[in-house]
């Protein structure tokens, strides 16, 4: 959809929600991100009926990487987390009705700051200036998320019904199996082999928490030396919190620094998490979920190939991302071969 | 890199048409982009994955499938999963090689899935089947990644040329 048409639709939607005559002054699309489309929306005049005069719009396109999208779960979770100390953007509106803006969407706060990259070298890199405090905040936000009493949140009442420590890992393996069935354009024996291994070695979860499932550098904003917002909650689910620890420590996000998300050593990261979360970390469980996380990342490459070959997308980034599936699956195999269990 | 070749080339022309040309305000640059579209279509009309690229994959797949089939030769198979028509003589032309590769791949995965998902295969045989697959994926990855090109993820995701002066090397 052309930006001009989208702006008109946004104005119509905001008018209907606010009861006022609202128009869009500026609509700009951000280039980052391979999945949801992200726009900055500024409304023409401050209006008391609007929650903010500028917002972020996230749209899940029909030919996107993980299509079909739904904004519901992200909106539910961000609404629930608004009462916690986990830094998240406020959410305003959502709909999964594609007739409104052309695709499922939600509007949220335009949190200040910029997202540091997983790789170093960009001008004004906020990580270099605020390394120690960002590391502390990174761990603290994760510990806070995992301590959140999701069972008391009415927004999450229908999340992962019946989940227990016995099946937390198995549920995520089945998510992977579903994703493989959905996205594989060609058979991938490594995926079948890895899924079988994961099923045989699935650990029991000692506790169930909200899991971000994409918690890493690149998915939080930094403003004046503080993490102002954690982003990209689309993969969140209830599960074993070791999954988030395992994902954050993946080598993919160390940017050649050797540090977890370029912030701190792995030992310091896990030790500080234990202190803040008040629980011991099971390192074998972390290694297990590292393998599952690596498999999920490889499945993203399959999703990219599927997106390019089976939808009407002209996004060459999908074709490029898809070429990495062999290397990503090789990494999964190597991690399984070196598993300590 | 095993995309569908025709779709890859056509997709690239669409990328240039839909995402690059509209953002170019320089006529000379747009002309260059239109020339790229034409050249890509020329390539698409005449080229495909080469036999030099496909043949090693076919060789690895053929050997792995044979090992797996031999392992399972005496396993009871009332539903006839093992009884499949032979692939036949190895073809020479690229299109047939591609078809053969795809057939071998499907066959190998179908057999392995049958072993894993309740085929009443003895545990010792299942373990050996897993080792065959493990060895297979290792060999195939070596073949597929032999001529790989460095992936410029940062440039692709940010649209900016990657800095050559990385400063964050603390560990």
């Amino acid at each position: 959809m052309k930006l001009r048409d989208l702006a008109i639709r946004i104005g119509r939607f905001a008018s209907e929600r606010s009861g006022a005559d609202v128009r869009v002054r500026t609509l700009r699309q951000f280039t980052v991100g391979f999945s949801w489309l992200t726009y900055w929306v500024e409304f023409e005049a401050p209006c008391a009926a609007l929650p903010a005069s500028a917002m972020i719009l996230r749209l899940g396109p029909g030919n996107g990487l993980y299509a079909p999208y739904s904004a519901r779960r992200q909106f539910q979770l961000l609404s629930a987390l608004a009462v916690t100390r986990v830094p998240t953007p406020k959410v305003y509106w959502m709909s999964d009705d594609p007739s409104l803006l052309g695709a499922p969407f939600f509007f949220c706060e335009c949190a200040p700051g910029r997202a540091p990259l997983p790789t170093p070298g960009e001008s004004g890199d906020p990580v270099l200036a605020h390394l120690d405090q960002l590391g502390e905040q990174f761990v603290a936000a994760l510990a806070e998320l995992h301590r959140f009493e999701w069972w008391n949140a009415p927004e999450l009442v229908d999340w992962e019904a019946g989940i227990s420590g016995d099946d937390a890992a198995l549920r995520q393996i089945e998510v992977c199996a579903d994703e493989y069935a959905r996205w594989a354009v060609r058979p991938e024996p490594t995926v079948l082999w890895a899924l079988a291994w994961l099923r045989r070695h699935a650990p029991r979860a000692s506790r169930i928490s909200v899991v971000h499932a994409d918690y890493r550098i690149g998915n939080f904003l930094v403003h004046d030396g503080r993490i102002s917002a954690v982003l990209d909650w689309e993969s969140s689910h209830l599960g074993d919190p070791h999954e988030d620890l395992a994902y954050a420590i993946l080598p993919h996000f160390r940017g050649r620094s050797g540090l977890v998300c370029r912030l701190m050593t792995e030992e310091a990261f896990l030790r500080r998490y234990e202190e803040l979360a008040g629980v011991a970390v099971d390192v074998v469980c972390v290694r297990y979920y590292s393998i599952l996380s690596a498999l999920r990342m490889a499945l993203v490459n399959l999703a990219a190939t599927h997106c390019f070959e089976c939808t009407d997308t002209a996004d060459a980034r999908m074709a490029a991302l898809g070429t990495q599936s062999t290397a990503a699956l090789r990494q999964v195999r190597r991690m399984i071969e070196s598993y300590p269990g | 890199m095993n995309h569908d070749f025709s779709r890859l080339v056509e997709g690239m022309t669409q990328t240039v048409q839909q995402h690059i040309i509209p953002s170019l305000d320089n006529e000379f640059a747009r002309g260059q982009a239109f020339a790229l579209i034409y050249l890509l279509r020329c390539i698409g009309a005449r080229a495909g994955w080469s036999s030099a690229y496909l043949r090693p994959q076919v060789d690895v797949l053929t050997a792995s499938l044979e090992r797996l089939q031999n392992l399972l030769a005496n396993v009871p198979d009332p539903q006839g999963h093992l009884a499949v028509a032979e692939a036949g003589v190895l073809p020479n032309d690229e299109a047939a090689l591609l078809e053969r590769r795809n057939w071998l791949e499907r066959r190998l995965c179908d057999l392995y899935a049958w072993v894993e998902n309740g085929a009443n295969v003895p545990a010792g045989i299942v373990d050996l089947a897993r080792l065959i697959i493990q060895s297979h994926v290792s060999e195939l990855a070596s073949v597929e990644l032999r001529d790989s090109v460095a992936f410029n993820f940062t440039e692709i995701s940010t649209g900016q040329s990657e800095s050559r002066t990385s400063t964050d090397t603390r560990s």
Side-chain angles (χ1 to χ4, degrees):
Chain A
M1 184 186 301
K2 289 190 166 44
L3 275 183
R4 203 168 61 116
D5 296 330
L6 182 57
I8 292 170
R9 289 203 190 193
I10 292 170
R12 205 176 292 148
F13 174 79
S15 298
E16 185 260 322
R17 283 301 173 103
S18 64
D21 181 19
V22 179
R23 293 187 195 195
V24 171
R25 172 188 288 148
T26 312
L27 179 64
R28 181 160 53 89
Q29 183 175 356
F30 290 102
T31 54
V32 291
F34 286 73
S35 178
W36 289 75
L37 302 177
T38 305
Y39 302 86
W40 183 72
V41 185
E42 186 186 22
F43 295 100
E44 203 158 62
C47 171
L50 288 178
S53 58
M55 300 180 190
I56 293 294
L57 165 65
R58 302 213 79 201
L59 209 68
N63 61 358
L65 185 58
Y66 302 130
Y69 290 92
S70 169
R72 182 163 304 281
R73 280 178 64 107
Q74 279 193 83
F75 193 86
Q76 287 170 336
L77 180 59
L78 290 171
S79 301
L81 291 177
V83 299
T84 71
R85 288 180 302 181
V86 181
T88 54
K90 287 193 216 92
V91 285
Y92 302 130
W93 305 310
M94 66 80 54
S95 177
D96 280 344
D97 181 356
S99 70
L100 296 173
L101 301 186
F105 65 89
F106 68 96
F107 285 87
C108 67
E109 177 190 10
C110 191
R114 60 191 273 198
L117 296 176
T119 49
E122 63 166 337
S123 158
D125 186 350
V127 168
L128 299 180
H130 307 287
L131 187 71
D132 291 338
Q133 66 210 68
L134 287 180
E136 173 67 16
Q137 290 165 40
F138 183 71
V139 185
L142 189 60
E144 184 72 16
L145 175 68
H146 292 164
R147 288 206 311 266
F148 174 58
E149 294 182 352
W150 52 270
W151 51 90
N152 288 330
E155 297 92 344
L156 308 186
V157 70
D158 57 355
W159 276 43
E160 277 76 72
I163 188 171
S164 74
D166 290 327
D167 69 356
L170 293 172
R171 284 176 182 243
Q172 289 312 302
I173 295 165
E174 292 320 305
V175 168
C176 290
D178 288 344
E179 287 175 349
Y180 171 67
R182 211 167 114 203
W183 293 329
V185 174
R186 296 169 43 206
E188 294 284 357
T190 311
V191 175
L192 300 177
W193 179 78
L195 286 172
W197 184 92
L198 286 165
R199 287 187 183 107
R200 293 197 305 278
H201 293 82
R204 192 186 181 284
S206 56
R207 62 185 177 130
I208 301 295
S209 300
V210 171
V211 172
H212 182 285
D214 197 5
Y215 195 78
R216 59 170 174 87
I217 189 165
N219 278 346
F220 59 81
L221 299 178
V222 175
H223 179 67
D224 287 343
R226 296 203 58 81
I227 293 178
S228 57
V230 176
L231 308 174
D232 287 344
W233 294 83
E234 65 182 301
S235 302
S236 300
H237 56 266
L238 298 181
D240 190 330
H242 284 99
E243 185 182 338
D244 273 336
L245 298 173
Y247 190 82
I249 68 172
L250 284 175
H252 309 60
F253 310 127
R254 301 199 182 198
R256 299 188 294 273
S257 70
L259 301 176
V260 171
C261 292
R262 301 178 51 214
L263 297 172
M264 56 209 304
T265 66
E266 182 175 316
E267 189 196 337
F269 172 69
L270 295 177
R271 187 172 8 100
R272 188 60 180 144
Y273 175 86
E274 285 184 325
E275 289 168 0
L276 293 173
V279 293
V281 170
D282 181 336
V283 291
V284 174
C285 203
V286 170
R287 293 283 169 249
Y288 174 88
Y289 276 105
S290 289
I291 294 168
L292 190 139
S293 297
L295 178 62
R296 291 205 79 165
M297 292 189 71
L299 289 168
V300 171
N301 298 125
L302 299 192
T305 299
H306 180 270
C307 181
F308 192 75
E309 294 198 3
C310 305
T311 74
D312 61 357
T313 188
D315 189 343
R317 298 176 308 162
M318 296 298 124
L321 199 58
T323 67
Q324 300 304 294
S325 60
T326 301
L329 288 171
R330 181 178 63 178
Q331 174 140 32
V332 173
R333 176 182 56 80
R334 286 173 170 171
M335 290 171 79
I336 289 175
E337 288 168 351
S338 63
Y339 181 71
Chain B
M1 174 124 186
N2 278 312
H3 292 304
D4 179 273
F5 191 89
S6 302
R7 170 60 194 141
L8 184 64
V9 172
E10 184 52 31
M12 288 157 70
T13 67
Q14 288 169 12
T15 300
V16 176
Q17 187 83 55
Q18 292 182 29
H19 294 302
I20 296 177
I21 289 174
S23 297
L24 295 175
D25 55 13
N26 178 293
E27 280 180 354
F28 183 75
R30 282 203 299 276
Q32 293 289 315
F34 282 121
L36 277 182
I37 288 175
Y38 164 71
L39 292 169
L40 282 168
R41 288 187 169 144
C42 288
I43 291 172
R46 291 164 178 80
W49 299 121
S50 71
S51 55
Y53 177 63
L54 293 169
R55 181 62 193 268
Q57 296 179 47
V58 169
D59 288 345
V60 170
L61 280 159
T62 302
S64 297
L65 183 59
E66 195 175 311
R67 280 200 287 274
L68 188 59
Q69 285 177 161
N70 289 342
L71 175 70
L72 301 174
N74 296 318
V75 172
D77 175 29
Q79 289 169 330
H81 287 277
L82 295 170
V84 169
E86 289 297 316
V89 171
L90 191 65
N92 282 328
D93 68 281
E94 284 89 0
L97 259 183
L98 180 65
E99 176 111 13
R100 174 64 61 88
R101 189 207 64 191
N102 292 344
W103 182 90
L104 287 165
E105 210 164 48
R106 276 194 307 271
R107 179 78 187 124
L108 184 74
C109 282
D110 285 348
L111 261 188
Y112 175 56
W114 176 70
V115 167
E116 284 285 2
N117 298 321
N120 292 324
V121 177
I125 302 278
V126 175
D127 288 341
L128 288 171
R130 288 171 182 155
L131 286 173
I132 289 173
I133 294 298
Q134 181 177 350
S135 172
H136 165 74
V137 299
S138 174
E139 276 184 76
L140 194 65
S142 297
V143 162
E144 284 191 28
L145 294 173
R146 195 174 291 159
D147 300 313
S148 59
V149 173
F151 185 53
N152 57 335
F153 179 77
T154 301
E155 289 179 326
I156 289 171
S157 59
T158 65
Q160 295 179 24
S161 290
E162 198 162 35
S163 166
R164 298 290 175 202
T165 56
S166 163
T167 55
D168 189 9
T169 56
R170 277 170 286 181
S171 62

